[in-house]
Amino acid sequence: MPPTAGFVKKHVTDLAYQTRDELGLSPFDRLDPLVLADYLEIPVLRLSEFQMDNPEASEYFLSRDPGAFSGLTVFHGTGRIILHNDAHSPARQASNICHELGHGLLLHDPTPAVDGSGCREWDQVMEDQAQWMAGALLIHEVGLVTALRRGNDVRDIARRYGASEDMVSWRINMTGAHRRARQAARR
């Protein structure tokens, strides 16, 4: 029987929190994605580092349409290398890098980037898992609920964790953090 989405989210969340613990982080601490990448021995490269090698592609993704590319994992033998778009805000870069690190923590196998006709190809389940992992790595639920209970708003929480306001809002919605903060306040 396939696992339920809740089971998978619990597994991914538990792995994210175990990883935060291994880095010595409390639920209230900010995670530095580059420290995690170093811990996992996964090199992280910035897209701007390739401007000399491929100026047209770099210019397109860094300037003309930075939203078209966030990051990817390149496999080299048994190793992984992350390439990310450093034209994004620091908070978005943190999310992009944690998403790619999530693929590594979840031991996702490499998949082709494009199909035979040149169209982008991806496994939606793996992408959803990596996105959930990124959120759990960046923003611990205990810290999130506590911050909301103390009256912090999305902007305050985003600053505390070095995450985007969109990521904080997504975590609030996906974890039911507002409801849980209200329940905790009533006790």
Side-chain angles (χ1 to χ4, degrees):
M1 178 186 303
T4 65
F7 174 81
V8 171
K9 285 180 182 175
K10 180 174 179 1
H11 167 73
V12 172
T13 300
D14 290 347
L15 181 56
Y17 294 168
Q18 176 187 347
T19 302
R20 287 179 58 88
D21 288 345
E22 288 175 19
L23 293 174
L25 299 174
S26 80
F28 310 100
D29 292 331
R30 178 186 292 205
L31 176 136
D32 181 335
L34 297 177
V35 169
L36 176 56
D38 187 53
Y39 176 75
L40 297 173
E41 298 180 1
I42 300 175
V44 176
L45 304 175
R46 298 179 314 274
L47 184 58
S48 63
E49 294 177 55
F50 296 91
Q51 284 180 305
M52 298 296 283
D53 298 323
N54 195 331
E56 288 141 14
S58 295
E59 195 272 327
Y60 180 81
F61 291 120
L62 290 169
S63 300
R64 282 193 289 179
D65 192 6
F69 173 76
S70 297
L72 58 83
T73 300
V74 177
F75 287 80
H76 186 268
T78 59
R80 297 169 184 256
I81 298 170
I82 293 172
L83 176 64
H84 77 98
N85 191 341
D86 52 316
H88 291 175
S89 72
R92 176 67 190 273
Q93 289 178 57
S95 179
N96 296 341
I97 294 167
C98 281
H99 177 99
E100 296 304 324
L101 290 169
H103 285 300
L105 286 164
L106 293 163
L107 303 175
H108 288 161
D109 291 326
T111 58
V114 293
D115 63 17
S117 62
C119 293
R120 177 76 173 97
E121 190 173 305
W122 67 86
D123 180 318
Q124 191 63 52
V125 171
M126 288 194 318
E127 292 304 315
D128 291 346
Q129 290 173 351
Q131 187 59 29
W132 191 266
M133 175 67 78
L137 285 169
L138 287 169
I139 306 166
H140 196 292
E141 285 179 56
V142 170
L144 181 60
V145 171
T146 301
L148 290 170
R149 196 179 75 237
R150 291 179 178 164
N152 295 123
D153 63 18
V154 169
R155 183 177 304 156
D156 296 331
I157 297 167
R159 261 185 267 141
R160 172 182 201 89
Y161 285 104
S164 69
E165 292 179 27
D166 286 343
M167 174 61 87
V168 172
S169 295
W170 182 76
R171 287 288 288 162
I172 289 170
N173 292 332
M174 296 303 290
T175 63
H178 269 303
R179 175 185 48 77
R180 292 167 46 209
R182 285 191 299 271
Q183 288 172 342
R186 282 187 236 145
R187 292 184 195 148

